């Protein structure tokens, strides 16, 4: 079967990373979490105490930071300038900061070439917000995963609890709504379903069902 390029986009908490990771592992493909790349930049910017409105400084961080994604047994390990930031980039502080980083055109431009390079040989599942529209507009398979905001907040809540963060469900819902708004309303590469993407609402589906649906779509393309 041809080694495909698979783009999975959608809002926060729709299940993209779990689904993308599983599909990649079943097909023996590389998984690329582009959200983690924005998070690594946000983490570095916070470490440097940068203002979220300072686009010049944020762009400079994006241009100079060394980001590496390595496959570990438990999933992807993310390195920023050689330091393992897999855990800290998921903190509520970085999560609250990252949308302002992701809306800066210079930041997005700095990551675009890197992301395209990572997908150049195919055999890749890349997840994010603008993969099907901007990063890989010629991807073989484009999926747009979504779920109700209530369901997404509840999933994030459970995920954070297992990681030891205790955050109110109502607060998470508000944060997700705010992040959806920022991601969808920004001028540069907003979160939007590509016209040729297949919409999958995961609200009432298990991970396994979503994965099987995507594998079926891939078989038709392969
Ligand atoms: O998927 P995530 O929650 O880890 O993404 C973190 C942030 O990065 C989120 O605000 C959306 C943004 N993002 C983006 O703008 N484009 C991408 N391709 C991936 C993520």
């Amino acid at each position: 079967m041809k080694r495909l390029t698979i783009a999975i986009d959608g809002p926060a908490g729709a299940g993209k990373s779990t689904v993308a990771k599983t599909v990649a592992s079943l097909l023996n493909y590389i998984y690329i979490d582009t959200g983690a790349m924005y998070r690594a930049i946000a983490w570095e910017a916070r470490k440097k105490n940068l203002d979220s409105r300072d686009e010049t400084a944020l762009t400079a961080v994006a241009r100079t930071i060394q980001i590496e994604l390595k496959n570990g047994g438990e999933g992807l390990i993310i390195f920023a300038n050689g330091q393992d930031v897999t855990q800290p980039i998921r903190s509520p502080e970085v999560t609250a900061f990252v949308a302002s980083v992701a809306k800066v055109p210079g930041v997005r431009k700095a990551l675009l070439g890197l992301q395209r390079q990572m997908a150049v040989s195919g055999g890749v599942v890349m997840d994010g917000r603008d993969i099907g529209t901007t990063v890989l507009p010629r991807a073989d398979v484009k999926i747009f995963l979504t779920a109700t905001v209530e369901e997404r907040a509840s999933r994030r809540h459970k995920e954070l609890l297992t990681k030891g963060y205790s955050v109110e469900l109502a607060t998470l819902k508000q944060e997700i709504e705010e992040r959806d708004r920022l991601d969808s309303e920004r001028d540069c590469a907003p979160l939007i379903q590509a016209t040729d993407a297949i919409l999958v609402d995961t609200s009432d589906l298990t991970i396994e069902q979503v994965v099987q649906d995507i594998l079926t779509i891939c078989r038709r393309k392969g």
Side-chain angles (χ1 to χ4, degrees):
M1 192 164 119
K2 181 184 161 199
R3 289 178 69 75
L4 304 169
T5 303
I6 304 171
I8 302 185
D9 291 299
K16 293 186 303 294
S17 60
T18 313
V19 166
K21 215 181 299 173
T22 313
V23 169
S25 146
L26 290 172
L27 293 175
N28 212 5
Y29 282 12
I30 299 168
Y31 165 52
I32 300 166
D33 175 355
T34 61
M37 300 169 86
Y38 287 97
R39 285 173 180 271
I41 296 170
W43 176 84
E44 180 71 16
R46 271 183 55 85
K47 198 174 80 174
K48 289 180 146 70
N49 274 323
L50 298 184
D51 189 302
S52 63
R53 291 158 301 181
D54 189 346
E55 299 205 353
T56 309
L58 294 173
T59 301
V61 169
R63 283 194 187 146
T64 51
I65 193 171
Q66 287 286 331
I67 302 174
E68 286 171 280
L69 311 183
K70 289 192 183 158
N71 245 316
E74 300 279 294
L76 274 190
I77 306 177
I78 320 294
F79 292 91
N81 295 329
Q83 186 179 342
D84 181 349
V85 295
T86 315
Q87 296 289 332
I89 61 167
R90 305 287 162 196
S91 70
E93 293 78 18
V94 170
T95 301
F97 195 74
V98 66
S100 351
V101 172
K103 80 177 190 352
V104 178
V107 169
R108 304 201 70 86
K109 198 168 160 215
L111 286 186
L112 184 64
L114 186 59
Q115 291 165 349
R116 285 187 176 156
Q117 186 59 38
M118 287 170 153
V120 82
S121 310
V124 160
V125 183
M126 189 178 279
D127 83 7
R129 303 293 190 285
D130 62 336
I131 311 306
T133 53
T134 309
V135 181
L136 305 173
R138 300 180 62 190
D140 300 298
V141 173
K142 295 185 188 179
I143 307 289
F144 195 85
L145 279 194
T146 188
T148 61
V149 69
E150 288 75 18
E151 178 62 25
R152 291 187 284 130
S154 148
R155 289 177 189 170
R156 250 311 116 101
H157 190 236
K158 285 186 202 139
E159 185 189 327
L160 285 173
L161 282 180
T162 60
K163 290 184 180 158
Y165 295 109
S166 121
V167 185
E168 290 281 324
L169 184 60
T171 312
L172 278 178
K173 185 168 170 259
Q174 265 177 11
E175 280 174 8
I176 285 185
E177 280 169 336
E178 175 62 4
R179 225 140 58 86
D180 283 357
R181 194 184 63 74
L182 288 172
D183 289 340
S184 312
E185 291 180 2
R186 69 173 173 237
D187 294 330
C188 186
L191 167 67
I192 184 173
Q193 182 182 343
T195 47
D196 51 352
I198 298 171
L199 178 69
V200 180
D201 186 332
T202 70
S203 304
D204 300 315
L205 298 178
T206 63
I207 298 289
E208 290 71 27
Q209 287 171 320
V210 179
V211 167
Q212 285 311 319
D213 283 356
I214 296 177
L215 290 177
T216 305
I217 295 164
C218 291
R219 268 183 229 114
R220 279 194 221 122
K221 292 273 179 177

